[in-house]
């Protein structure tokens, strides 16, 4: 599992070290806590490391915290952000909100307030990551189908059977038999209730699972094909490209490039 990184940026050494020590004690090694003395040093960290949470002072020489945040966003990085300031400033706060800052803390920051803000920020970051992941993987048609079925319907049972046996060879006749329906009637009922043919549902489900495996594992393409019920990688690649517009290996590579840029 990826270790998440917190970056603290403050030109005041005592404050910077104090925040870092507090968060290191709190995290007990679960998070990597880095620090930078100014905006330029912070941008160097962003070039080398994926930063999940940025905690930055507003008032710094050369580059303010808000200027740093703008530069970070322009480079395609999307950390969640907590701003720390020595005094309340309505204009700074307004601009911070516009830039997506999720908390604005006034110095001196108590250990409890800092930890509460960091825990909330990391929960927000996890929610954003989940949403990004769902957007990459989820098939809207499948989400609609699975959410609209009642728990005792034969079509719901059929969907569960398919989902549990994706790596095996599945035929409409097999699934119809499992839910005790005539294959012809099952085919009509399936299309009526899902607005997809059984074959299209099976393909979409297999490709959704394939996308999940491509994003979350290092399995070779041949094994991804087998895990999703395709006997040959060649056919799997052809089908994947028809639906997604790119090959499975390119899909994986593009996702990796997006993640490294964030």
């Amino acid at each position: 599992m990826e270790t998440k990184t917190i970056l603290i940026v403050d030109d005041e050494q005592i404050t910077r070290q104090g925040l870092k020590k507090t968060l290191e004690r709190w995290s007990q090694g679960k998070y990597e806590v880095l620090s930078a003395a100014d905006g330029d040093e912070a941008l160097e960290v962003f070039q080398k490391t994926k930063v999940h949470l940025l905690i930055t002072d507003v008032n710094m020489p050369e580059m303010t915290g808000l200027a740093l945040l703008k530069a970070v966003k322009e480079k395609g990085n999307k950390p969640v952000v907590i701003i720390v300031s020595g005094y309340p400033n309505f204009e700074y706060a307004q601009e911070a909100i516009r830039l997506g800052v999720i908390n604005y803390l006034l110095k001196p920051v108590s250990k409890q307030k800092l930890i509460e803000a960091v825990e909330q920020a990391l929960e927000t970051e996890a929610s954003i990551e989940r949403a990004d992941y769902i957007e990459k993987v989820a098939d809207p048609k499948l989400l609609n189908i699975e959410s609209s079925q009642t728990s005792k319907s034969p079509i719901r049972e059929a969907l569960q059977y398919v989902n549990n046996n994706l790596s095996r060879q599945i035929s409409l006749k097999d699934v119809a038999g499992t839910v005790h329906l005539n294959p012809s009637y099952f085919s009509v009922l399936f299309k009526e209730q899902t607005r997809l043919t059984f074959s299209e549902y099976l393909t979409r489900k297999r490709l959704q699972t394939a996308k999940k495996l491509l994003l979350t594992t290092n399995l070779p393409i041949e094994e991804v094909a087998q895990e999703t019920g395709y006997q040959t990688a060649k056919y799997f690649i052809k089908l994947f490209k028809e639906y997604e517009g790119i090959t499975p290996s390119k899909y994986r590579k593009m996702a990796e490039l997006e993640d490294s840029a964030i």
Side-chain angles (χ1 to χ4, degrees):
M1 191 177 169
E2 180 187 27
T3 301
K4 297 202 172 182
T5 301
I6 300 169
L7 174 61
I8 299 160
V9 187
D10 199 309
D11 61 309
E12 296 173 3
Q13 186 179 359
I14 293 172
T15 303
R16 186 170 71 249
Q17 289 177 341
L19 294 173
K20 189 172 189 289
K21 191 178 282 187
T22 298
L23 292 183
E24 283 175 337
R25 283 179 181 163
W26 160 79
S27 77
Q28 297 180 327
K30 282 191 294 183
Y31 302 99
E32 185 178 14
V33 185
L34 305 177
S35 64
D38 56 41
D40 288 330
E41 199 178 310
L43 290 175
E44 284 179 22
V45 174
F46 272 97
Q47 285 182 341
K48 299 172 190 172
T49 310
K50 180 178 176 180
V51 176
H52 299 82
L53 169 59
L54 171 65
I55 302 171
T56 182
D57 186 19
V58 167
N59 302 297
M60 296 186 291
E62 305 298 329
M63 189 187 298
T64 67
L66 296 181
L68 167 62
L69 181 51
K70 284 177 187 173
V72 163
K73 285 183 174 288
E74 281 168 9
K75 291 180 185 294
N77 299 289
K78 300 175 185 175
V80 288
V81 184
I82 296 172
I83 288 283
V84 180
S85 177
Y87 57 92
N89 182 309
F90 182 67
E91 283 183 15
Y92 274 157
Q94 271 192 319
E95 179 68 0
I97 289 166
R98 192 183 69 77
L99 289 167
V101 171
I102 65 165
N103 216 324
Y104 193 101
L105 303 176
L106 289 176
K107 293 180 180 179
V109 183
S110 72
K111 289 179 183 179
Q112 185 182 344
K113 278 201 171 176
L114 174 66
I115 289 166
E116 283 174 1
V118 167
E119 286 176 340
Q120 180 191 24
L122 288 168
E123 281 178 19
T124 300
E125 192 274 338
S127 297
I128 292 167
E129 278 207 344
R130 278 195 297 273
D132 285 347
Y133 171 75
I134 288 166
E135 191 178 337
K136 283 178 187 170
V137 173
D139 182 326
K141 287 191 177 181
L142 297 187
L143 289 175
N144 289 339
I145 289 166
E146 288 165 4
S147 62
S148 65
Q149 297 302 311
T150 58
S151 58
K152 290 184 180 178
S153 77
I155 299 306
R156 164 69 82 177
E157 286 179 46
L159 298 180
Q160 287 174 343
Y161 178 84
V162 169
N163 297 349
N164 293 336
N165 293 279
L166 277 178
S167 62
R168 297 169 54 191
Q169 295 305 299
I170 301 172
S171 70
L172 182 147
K173 188 178 176 183
D174 292 338
V175 181
T178 301
V179 297
H180 312 295
L181 291 177
N182 171 279
S184 299
Y185 176 66
F186 171 73
S187 177
V188 171
L189 187 65
F190 193 94
K191 178 77 183 290
E192 190 178 277
Q193 292 195 12
T194 67
R195 298 187 180 178
L196 291 177
T197 64
F198 175 77
S199 175
E200 189 179 357
Y201 174 82
L202 181 58
T203 299
R204 284 177 175 274
K205 191 68 188 179
R206 281 180 163 157
L207 293 180
Q208 179 174 271
T209 304
K211 286 193 283 183
K212 181 180 175 183
L213 291 172
L214 290 167
L215 293 180
T216 60
T217 75
N218 294 317
L219 286 175
I221 302 302
E222 291 77 7
E223 287 187 38
V224 173
Q226 288 170 8
E227 286 290 322
T228 49
Y230 294 105
Q231 291 179 311
T232 68
K234 187 178 178 182
Y235 180 66
F236 165 64
I237 293 166
K238 178 178 175 287
L239 203 61
F240 193 97
K241 192 172 181 182
E242 279 178 19
Y243 272 76
E244 299 299 323
I246 53 174
T247 63
S249 53
K250 194 166 183 183
Y251 177 87
R252 176 180 266 167
K253 193 147 214 151
M254 283 175 67
E256 285 169 357
L257 286 171
E258 280 179 29
D259 288 343
S260 65
I262 291 171

